[in-house]
Amino acid sequence: MGALQELNLCVVTTWPPVMCGLSEYSKWLYESMALVKPSAKIVILAVKPSNDNGKAYVESLPNLHVEYSWSPDSVLYPLHLVKEAVKSGARIVHFQHEYWLYGRGPRQALFLLTLALLKICGRRIVVTLHGLLLPSALATSYKTYHTTMIPPLLTKILAKAFINTLSLLTDVIIVHLKIMKLTLVREYRVNGDKVTVIPHGVLKFPQKAVTWDKPRNLLIFGSIRPDKGIEHVIKAFEELASEHPDVQLVIAGSYNPLISPESRGYLSKLLRIILRSPHRARIRLRLNVPSQEIPNLYRCAHIVILNYLDDSILAASGPLSLALATLKPVIATKIPRFLDYDSYITLVKPGDLEELAESMKILVEDGDLRQKLVEKLYTLRRKHSWDRVALEHVKLYAKLAR
């Protein structure tokens, strides 16, 4: 019990005002952790924002300290992170990992070097893999939706080498989905005892009675990238809009070709499609929505659509978690990242415009079905609350600290 009461943790991640899903995830998780475990000391080593004004975007919590202290652009960041982690006094260092965060391509070796140096310093290391390449899909979806000159076979070899090395250097790997653990064990040959599944947390927004006021908003939210299949949703929406003049489509999210090079030019393509649409007046595009406005964006939605096409990346969906938080019925594609939720959301075949349009029509017209889905989402939201997710992390840290 003493180890649990004296939790001293260092976390490497991004943090607001850096605008990305990982920043929001980290803020929700560690603010929740600081509240459910007041005796913990949590130090966040966050990426320096480009417009750094020295202000830490954190609630007034005495046991949570945020330092904007490093940049992946510097090849010396491993030395800096090791120095700061050791200075924090933490015995456990937790890295939130996205492939783009610590440098692309050969720079991934710098991340592994950081882990190795901390291992030498006697630290216990936890890595949360927010995304994982599915080796069996590298020759198909990955090649289609990701900008790379590396042949699929070489990509598979490098991906497996990276994950296997990471596994050797860490004490625990956290993933959000059961299929991610299954992939690590079966395709990457990682020791399953080292992998823990902790779901992506869900906020609990104050929920008003579910209404079906006009206009009826269909929402797409998240990064604006080709693999999100937004142009397909617009096509399906045009069929629906002809029969239901009170329905409108809201497309909102971030567009950042620096983080996602494959998205370059995609926004211009979408704008052209919208301008040519006979229902363009009922299609709203909102870019880089401030984080404080996101909850209201979801509250005003009636149905959330996640028409993801890329099945080569396994990852939990932040936009799906927000839909659960606000109890909004969801239409998503039948790809691995959504299969854990097949009892709670409507799944359609990727790229099947007819099935997508039909599912949108059914959810718009069938009030009983919408209500049943909302009731299921309520149960799931309780199971995946941020308080519960934070406590699962605390218990894991306690085991490591023994």
Side-chain angles (χ1 to χ4, degrees), residues 202-203 205 324-325 327 377-385:
V202 175
L203 289 170
F205 293 128
L324 301 182
L327 303 179
L377 294 177
Y378 180 78
T379 302
L380 189 62
R381 185 176 74 172
R382 285 193 302 168
K383 286 171 58 180
H384 290 186
S385 72

Side-chain angles (χ1 to χ4, degrees), residues 115-374:
L115 301 185
L117 292 173
L118 284 168
K119 199 77 172 172
I120 293 170
C121 293
R123 279 7 185 217
R124 308 303 296 272
I125 299 172
V126 181
V127 175
T128 296
L129 292 176
H130 289 269
L132 181 66
L133 289 174
L134 185 62
S136 56
L138 289 178
T140 53
S141 293
Y142 186 82
K143 188 176 179 180
T144 301
Y145 295 110
H146 297 270
T147 303
T148 179
M149 300 297 290
I150 304 175
L153 179 60
L154 182 56
T155 300
K156 181 185 292 189
I157 293 170
L158 292 173
K160 288 188 174 183
F162 174 79
I163 292 296
N164 289 331
T165 307
L166 180 149
S167 176
L168 291 173
L169 295 171
T170 57
D171 295 280
V172 176
I173 297 172
I174 297 175
V175 292
H176 297 313
L177 302 172
K178 295 173 189 172
I179 194 167
M180 294 177 76
K181 177 172 182 176
L182 195 64
T183 300
L184 283 172
V185 173
R186 289 186 177 177
E187 298 204 38
Y188 286 93
R189 302 293 187 231
V190 171
N191 181 354
D193 294 336
K194 188 172 274 193
V195 185
T196 298
V197 180
I198 301 180
H200 192 296
V202 175
L203 289 170
K204 185 179 179 181
F205 293 128
Q207 183 66 25
K208 300 177 181 178
V210 178
T211 60
W212 196 237
D213 299 330
K214 299 178 181 180
R216 311 181 195 191
N217 292 327
L218 310 183
L219 174 66
I220 300 171
F221 179 76
S223 300
I224 308 294
R225 304 196 308 259
D227 62 289
K228 298 302 181 72
I230 298 172
E231 65 271 36
H232 296 175
V233 180
I234 294 173
K235 289 284 186 184
F237 170 76
E238 289 177 346
E239 292 185 30
L240 183 68
S242 299
E243 297 182 33
H244 294 274
D246 56 342
V247 172
Q248 63 180 15
L249 178 64
V250 178
I251 303 166
S254 60
Y255 176 71
N256 191 341
L258 293 178
I259 291 179
S260 304
E262 61 273 9
S263 68
R264 200 176 306 277
Y266 186 59
L267 180 61
S268 298
K269 175 182 176 180
L270 287 181
L271 287 171
R272 289 194 297 271
I273 292 172
I274 292 170
L275 288 173
R276 288 198 299 264
S277 172
H279 303 287
R280 57 185 173 274
R282 288 153 58 192
I283 302 175
R284 294 170 53 208
L285 179 63
R286 292 191 61 190
L287 295 178
N288 301 325
V289 180
S291 58
Q292 64 269 22
E293 293 182 23
I294 294 172
N296 198 51
L297 189 70
Y298 269 79
R299 286 192 188 100
C300 294
H302 293 91
I303 297 169
V304 174
I305 302 174
L306 305 173
N307 189 48
Y308 296 10
L309 302 176
D310 181 10
D311 62 2
S312 68
I313 301 291
L314 300 176
S317 168
L320 174 60
S321 295
L322 287 165
L324 301 182
T326 47
L327 303 179
K328 301 300 179 180
V330 175
I331 298 172
T333 43
K334 199 177 294 181
I335 60 175
R337 66 162 60 192
F338 294 123
L339 295 183
D340 279 12
Y341 304 96
D342 62 344
S343 299
Y344 302 93
I345 63 179
T346 300
L347 294 178
V348 299
K349 184 179 178 182
D352 191 328
L353 274 175
E354 187 176 332
E355 187 178 5
L356 175 61
E358 182 63 20
S359 295
M360 290 165 61
K361 184 176 187 294
I362 289 171
L363 267 185
V364 164
E365 296 177 351
D366 192 337
D368 290 338
L369 176 59
R370 290 196 306 272
Q371 188 57 40
K372 286 177 183 176
L373 289 172
V374 167

Side-chain angles (χ1 to χ4, degrees), residues 1-147:
M1 183 62 73
L4 183 58
Q5 293 174 342
E6 298 170 5
L7 173 61
N8 190 349
L9 176 68
C10 179
V11 181
V12 181
T13 187
T14 60
W15 197 270
V18 174
M19 291 186 66
C20 65
L22 183 58
S23 292
E24 296 299 324
Y25 171 92
S26 300
K27 189 171 189 294
W28 292 330
L29 173 59
Y30 294 108
E31 286 183 355
S32 298
M33 192 180 299
L35 290 170
V36 300
K37 194 64 187 169
S39 62
K41 177 189 173 186
I42 305 169
V43 175
I44 308 291
L45 302 181
V47 173
K48 293 178 182 178
S50 56
N51 56 341
D52 186 10
N53 58 10
K55 177 184 176 184
Y57 286 66
V58 61
E59 299 297 331
S60 182
L61 299 168
N63 57 338
L64 177 60
H65 179 64
V66 179
E67 297 178 10
Y68 296 106
S69 60
W70 70 284
S71 169
D73 295 331
S74 169
V75 294
L76 297 178
Y77 83 72
L79 298 177
H80 179 77
L81 285 177
V82 171
K83 176 186 172 184
E84 294 300 316
V86 171
K87 187 171 76 173
S88 74
R91 301 302 301 172
I92 300 173
V93 183
H94 190 158
F95 289 84
Q96 300 293 337
H97 180 270
E98 289 273 18
Y99 283 103
W100 52 264
L101 178 57
Y102 299 95
R104 295 180 183 273
R107 280 179 170 255
Q108 286 286 333
L110 295 176
F111 175 67
L112 298 176
L113 174 62
T114 308
L115 301 185
L117 292 173
L118 284 168
K119 199 77 172 172
I120 293 170
C121 293
R123 279 7 185 217
R124 308 303 296 272
I125 299 172
V126 181
V127 175
T128 296
L129 292 176
H130 289 269
L132 181 66
L133 289 174
L134 185 62
S136 56
L138 289 178
T140 53
S141 293
Y142 186 82
K143 188 176 179 180
T144 301
Y145 295 110
H146 297 270
T147 303

